[in-house]
Amino acid sequence: MHPVPIQLLIESFEQLPGIGHKTAERLAFYLLNNMSVEDVEFMANNMLDAKHNITLCPVCQNLTDATPCVICSSPKRDRSVICVVETPKDVLAIERTNEFDGLYHVLHGALSPMDNIGPEDIKIKELLERLSDGEVKEIIMATNPNVAGTATAMYIARLISPMGVKVTRIAHGIPIGSDLEYADEMTIVKALEGRQVI
Amino acid sequence: MHPVPIQLLIESFEQLPGIGHKTAERLAFYLLNNMSVEDVEFMANNMLDAKHNITLCPVCQNLTDATPCVICSSPKRDRSVICVVETPKDVLAIERTNEFDGLYHVLHGALSPMDNIGPEDIKIKELLERLSDGEVKEIIMATNPNVAGTATAMYIARLISPMGVKVTRIAHGIPIGSDLEYADEMTIVKALEGRQVI
């Protein structure tokens, strides 16, 4: 049996998703044999720092170390448009395009009755609260194009439309640079439905 | 761009072997979204504890939190036999059999001129020191049955044999429960060479 500190270390790594016992053991021995004390301290401190200092932005619910987050507090962003996404990673993906200058709202999930995720489990209430002052003119639903993401988009659209705010959905179609030949049928159907005059 | 604490956290995870940027990002978000503050503190403390408190046993060079380690200090172990292995995991593998009651010596590697690993880079000197008092009668070379492990076994045998200590090598052959049909040729050759009267 391993000495107790090694066992605890292995158990800690096993807590992480996608890391089984063998990988946890490999990581533990790497930490003990190949990393310097400074590297381990740097890593442990980064974990504690991130956990202690990262919170949800009270406005857009994105992960942030500032309150409100840098996007919500930027005077350069268009406050009339909110792009609604499922996760903080989706915000990053859209920000990388440098094409969107509105605000975001992170739901932290999508409606999924099968997994017992209902409207109270994601940040829908917080989104509705942002619409009360009438500044927002459009909500872009950028949830994922799967069953849960589409259901979430429809659900939120039905809640918000009566409030006089335009709700739009991002386009689905053949990805740029890919081959029609390899696209799945639903994507082709969506691409045909969404055809535009050129 | 992620807030700085998240970026540092991702970079920390990326330091670990076999963990690329995407996986590091996934682990970082899991830590932020799914783990409690207590879980993260427990994990960070386990990392620091293990790194600060685990050392090499001054006798057998195995990783330990006691000096000397529990095996080296046990009065129940046969001090006349030392089983030489490459890594701490090999010690565990042999301990799990409950069949060996001698001592161990962990080399922390195997000779491999291709990778610039020479006799000074593994714990050979420390092994020789243990033979000086004449208590040890047999050295069992349990390094891996590959080129590096075999070369290491031969090298150490040549150093130790003149000292009057018996040096043996673990048997190679067909693994129990496996099929001769699927064994590789070298294993079959070794199994034939090592045949015994029944």
Side-chain angles (χ1 to χ4, degrees):
Chain A
M1 243 179 29
H2 292 296
V4 174
I6 301 186
Q7 272 182 295
L8 288 174
L9 181 60
I10 293 172
E11 281 166 31
S12 291
F13 281 128
E14 278 181 297
Q15 277 190 56
L16 297 172
I19 294 189
H21 185 71
K22 283 276 168 190
T23 307
E25 210 171 54
R26 192 163 51 86
L27 295 179
F29 282 111
Y30 181 84
L31 188 148
L32 291 169
N33 292 325
N34 303 84
M35 285 171 74
S36 68
V37 174
E38 292 72 34
D39 281 349
V40 175
E41 285 170 351
F42 183 69
M43 187 166 173
N45 287 334
N46 286 341
M47 290 169 61
L48 296 170
D49 268 8
K51 191 65 192 175
H52 291 148
N53 298 328
I54 295 289
T55 54
L56 297 188
C57 169
V59 182
C60 72
Q61 310 295 322
N62 196 2
L63 295 169
T64 177
D65 57 346
T67 306
C69 76
V70 283
I71 294 178
C72 286
S73 57
S74 165
K76 290 183 185 159
R77 312 291 300 213
D78 178 355
R79 307 196 155 261
S80 69
V81 189
I82 295 178
C83 180
V84 178
V85 295
E86 294 182 22
T87 70
K89 285 186 202 173
D90 298 330
V91 172
L92 273 186
I94 297 175
E95 282 295 284
R96 273 195 291 265
T97 67
N98 282 321
E99 285 290 324
F100 178 72
D101 70 345
L103 303 177
Y104 292 95
H105 190 82
V106 181
L107 294 173
H108 292 278
L111 296 176
S112 177
M114 299 269 283
D115 304 312
N116 260 323
I117 301 175
E120 327 68 44
D121 300 313
I122 61 176
K123 308 288 183 184
I124 293 179
K125 181 166 59 68
E126 291 79 356
L127 175 61
L128 299 181
E129 281 162 11
R130 296 177 68 182
L131 308 179
S132 55
D133 63 359
E135 204 180 359
V136 178
K137 305 299 176 205
E138 181 179 358
I139 299 283
I140 302 173
M141 292 303 309
T143 51
N144 287 323
N146 51 27
V147 175
T150 306
T152 308
M154 302 303 289
Y155 179 87
I156 292 178
R158 235 170 278 160
L159 280 181
I160 292 177
S161 297
M163 302 165 77
V165 177
K166 183 163 79 170
V167 182
T168 57
R169 181 88 173 107
I170 50 163
H172 302 320
I174 313 295
I176 303 300
S178 86
D179 242 8
L180 194 67
E181 185 181 345
Y182 301 118
D184 65 294
E185 287 137 52
M186 271 315 290
T187 301
I188 296 178
V189 169
K190 291 289 175 191
L192 288 171
E193 282 176 7
R195 67 190 181 278
Q196 296 180 336
V197 178
I198 49 172
Chain B
M1 240 179 33
H2 292 295
V4 173
I6 302 186
Q7 272 182 295
L8 288 174
L9 182 60
I10 293 172
E11 280 167 31
S12 290
F13 281 127
E14 278 181 298
Q15 277 189 56
L16 297 171
I19 294 189
H21 185 72
K22 283 275 167 190
T23 306
E25 210 171 51
R26 193 163 51 85
L27 295 179
F29 281 111
Y30 181 84
L31 188 148
L32 292 170
N33 293 326
N34 304 86
M35 286 172 75
S36 67
V37 174
E38 292 71 36
D39 281 351
V40 175
E41 284 170 352
F42 182 70
M43 187 168 174
N45 287 335
N46 286 341
M47 290 169 60
L48 296 170
D49 268 9
K51 191 65 192 177
H52 291 148
N53 298 327
I54 296 290
T55 54
L56 297 188
C57 169
V59 182
C60 73
Q61 310 296 321
N62 196 3
L63 295 170
T64 177
D65 56 347
T67 306
C69 75
V70 283
I71 295 177
C72 286
S73 57
S74 165
K76 291 183 186 158
R77 311 290 302 211
D78 178 355
R79 307 195 157 265
S80 70
V81 189
I82 295 178
C83 179
V84 179
V85 296
E86 294 181 23
T87 71
K89 285 186 204 175
D90 298 331
V91 172
L92 273 187
I94 296 174
E95 281 295 284
R96 273 195 290 266
T97 67
N98 283 319
E99 285 290 325
F100 179 71
D101 70 345
L103 303 177
Y104 292 95
H105 190 85
V106 182
L107 294 172
H108 292 277
L111 296 176
S112 177
M114 298 269 284
D115 305 311
N116 260 323
I117 300 174
E120 328 67 43
D121 300 312
I122 61 178
K123 308 288 184 184
I124 293 179
K125 182 165 58 71
E126 290 80 357
L127 175 62
L128 299 181
E129 281 164 11
R130 295 177 67 182
L131 307 180
S132 55
D133 63 1
E135 204 180 359
V136 178
K137 304 299 175 206
E138 180 179 358
I139 299 283
I140 303 173
M141 292 303 309
T143 50
N144 288 321
N146 51 28
V147 175
T150 307
T152 308
M154 302 303 289
Y155 179 86
I156 291 177
R158 233 169 282 159
L159 280 182
I160 292 176
S161 298
M163 300 164 78
V165 177
K166 183 163 77 171
V167 183
T168 57
R169 180 89 172 105
I170 50 165
H172 302 319
I174 312 295
I176 304 299
S178 86
D179 241 11
L180 194 69
E181 184 181 347
Y182 301 118
D184 66 293
E185 287 136 52
M186 270 316 288
T187 300
I188 295 178
V189 169
K190 291 289 174 191
L192 287 171
E193 282 177 7
R195 67 189 181 280
Q196 296 181 337
V197 177
I198 50 173

